[in-house]
Amino acid sequence: MCDTSELTAAVERFADRLRAAPQSRLQRGAAAEGLALARELAVRAQRAEEPGREPRTMPDAGVFTVADQLVVAGNDLAEILRTAPAGSPAGELAEAVGLVRAAAERSGL
């Protein structure tokens, strides 16, 4: 089992920032950044869980739901990586944490 607490903590921090942001800030790009990240994490989770199947795209449910979408996608990926065979998710986990941190920085929140 792999410790994915760093990923879930990074996702929660960014989601909390999105939840606390004013609508104007979300509409200026923070929500789009969060949705793009949620979609990427969801695709990674789907590919790990169902290799060979075409990943489904997470819908755009609006600027006020992005934080929740991010948490769902991040937790899904974390759980898949946590239960993956030993050694296999280490690089994927570090890359996912990097993606979350970079997206949070780009969002300006």
Side-chain angles (χ1 to χ4, degrees):
M1 292 211 148
C2 178
D3 179 12
T4 59
S5 59
E6 186 178 11
L7 175 59
T8 55
V11 166
E12 286 291 339
R13 273 192 304 276
F14 187 23
D16 286 347
R17 290 180 188 166
L18 287 166
R19 287 184 186 110
Q23 182 177 357
S24 60
R25 194 82 173 263
L26 292 171
Q27 291 173 329
R28 283 193 308 249
E33 194 65 53
L35 179 60
L37 175 61
R39 285 177 169 168
E40 177 62 25
L41 297 178
V43 164
R44 287 169 181 257
Q46 291 175 63
R47 285 190 178 137
E49 193 169 44
E50 301 173 310
R53 182 174 176 184
E54 185 65 30
R56 297 163 304 282
T57 302
M58 182 176 281
D60 183 346
V63 297
F64 298 116
T65 62
V66 168
D68 294 332
Q69 289 178 293
L70 176 58
V71 169
V72 168
N75 285 336
D76 283 352
L77 180 58
E79 182 60 20
I80 289 164
L81 294 176
R82 188 183 69 77
T83 58
S88 63
E92 178 88 18
L93 178 60
E95 192 174 326
V97 171
L99 288 172
V100 174
R101 290 180 177 156
E105 190 173 314
R106 285 191 304 272
S107 75
L109 297 178

